[in-house]
Amino acid sequence: MRMNIVAGNWKMNTTVSEGVKLVSEIVEKSKDLSNVKLIVAPPFTHILSVGEKIKGSEIGLSSQNCADEAQGAYTGEVSAKMLADAGVEYAIIGHSERREYYKESSEVLLKKIKLALANGISPIFCIGENLDEREKNRHFEVVKKQIEEVIFNVDENDFEKIIIAYEPVWAIGTGKTATSEQAQEIHAYIRNVLLEKFGKKAENTSILYGGSCKPSNAKEIFSQSDVDGGLIGGASLNADDFIAIAKSF
Ligand code: PEP
């Protein structure tokens, strides 16, 4: 069974106390939600305190990244093992901000995904084209390459633990959203790419949409058959908006 998921990527926002307040509100307001899995991805410094607040709830805990090495002299990095030990169950890997600002290549992303999986963490693997690629009608080949270079190199037995987030770069934080037709078209394409490699297992892969998703457009986007939820940036910093998006299923 494919899971409906709404995941909040807090990015580099909130202090620890603000994050704890935010997640407490999310816990409180999500009590009657049943057909959707909520995930929160706070900054590293908030993982333990936020994890404490969601104990006993169905909300999942995600990091926004993990190191591409297992351990050792990598100043400033946080390993998948450390994250798992701190209670992290999911890790956002390959967000376009990491690809663009920190030059993370497919090679690096594959290492991160393998380390996450080896430590029992489900990767939320982000893919998506930029505006130039969309305008040149290259979006299909771009996402296919992003999947082939990383996900096709993951052990078949681990494939079911992977969540895909399709996030057109031109829609992230811009207020521009893909139309529901654009989202369905490319989500169906992504699923087909996965089906060809992994067979029927890909029917169960959750493929999330991300890019200026908000309460006013979530229902329309989530109504598409191959859209299984959303990765939410800006709107996940407001508990009411985040919950309203989750209630759009
Ligand atoms: C994101 O960064 O994953 C994202 C979707 O951001 P926003 O919702 O703010 O566009």
Side-chain angles (χ1 to χ4, degrees):
M1 244 312 257
R2 230 185 268 171
M3 203 175 18
N4 292 331
I5 298 172
V6 170
N9 174 13
W10 296 3
K11 309 194 185 188
M12 197 170 71
N13 291 299
T14 74
T15 59
V16 174
S17 62
E18 287 164 351
V20 165
K21 184 168 175 280
L22 173 59
V23 82
S24 305
E25 280 181 53
I26 293 172
V27 169
E28 201 44 49
K29 292 174 180 178
S30 64
K31 283 194 170 133
D32 55 339
L33 273 178
S34 56
N35 58 345
V36 53
K37 171 83 181 169
L38 289 185
I39 298 173
V40 290
F44 287 138
T45 47
H46 305 25
I47 296 279
L48 289 176
S49 333
V50 168
E52 199 54 46
K53 283 286 162 198
I54 60 177
K55 258 191 199 145
S57 79
E58 294 293 315
I59 299 173
L61 184 60
S62 177
S63 61
Q64 299 173 17
N65 187 18
C66 77
D68 60 341
E69 297 290 344
Q71 68 170 58
Y74 299 99
T75 303
E77 291 295 308
V78 180
S79 73
K81 186 177 176 183
M82 293 170 185
L83 292 167
D85 183 51
V88 164
E89 309 160 86
Y90 303 89
I92 299 173
I93 310 271
H95 191 280
S96 63
E97 288 152 16
R98 301 290 320 170
R99 291 178 188 262
E100 188 181 343
Y101 307 148
Y102 303 96
K103 307 290 170 233
E104 292 188 358
S105 63
S106 288
E107 198 185 332
V108 162
L109 298 178
L110 178 59
K111 286 170 79 182
K112 292 186 178 205
I113 293 227
K114 285 187 171 173
L115 283 163
L117 289 166
N119 285 282
I121 293 175
S122 286
I124 302 174
F125 181 59
C126 302
I127 55 174
E129 79 287 354
N130 64 30
L131 186 58
D132 183 55
E133 291 159 343
R134 168 65 67 164
E135 283 174 351
K136 292 188 172 126
N137 216 25
R138 291 188 49 227
H139 42 294
F140 295 112
E141 70 177 271
V142 169
V143 296
K144 185 170 191 214
K145 185 162 181 279
Q146 290 170 331
I147 293 171
E148 281 175 348
E149 288 178 349
V150 179
I151 304 301
F152 278 21
N153 293 305
V154 165
D155 189 308
E156 279 208 23
N157 297 319
D158 282 332
F159 171 66
E160 279 166 304
K161 296 173 195 134
I162 292 173
I163 297 163
I164 303 285
Y166 166 69
E167 301 204 301
V169 181
W170 47 271
I172 297 178
T174 59
K176 284 186 203 155
T177 323
T179 63
S180 51
E181 291 79 15
Q182 285 174 322
Q184 171 56 26
E185 183 186 39
I186 197 149
H187 278 231
Y189 175 79
I190 291 165
R191 193 176 308 283
N192 254 328
V193 170
L194 297 172
L195 276 166
E196 278 175 22
K197 170 77 177 171
F198 296 100
K200 276 198 161 312
K201 282 179 185 173
E203 292 287 1
N204 293 331
T205 305
S206 294
I207 307 178
L208 315 184
Y209 168 80
S212 299
C213 198
K214 38 188 186 267
S216 57
N217 58 27
K219 204 175 186 65
E220 172 71 18
I221 296 173
F222 294 175
S223 68
Q224 304 301 310
S225 58
D226 285 294
V227 179
D228 309 305
L231 179 55
I232 319 297
S236 72
L237 295 169
N238 178 295
D240 286 325
D241 286 350
F242 188 58
I243 299 298
I245 290 171
K247 285 188 173 165
S248 303
F249 276 106

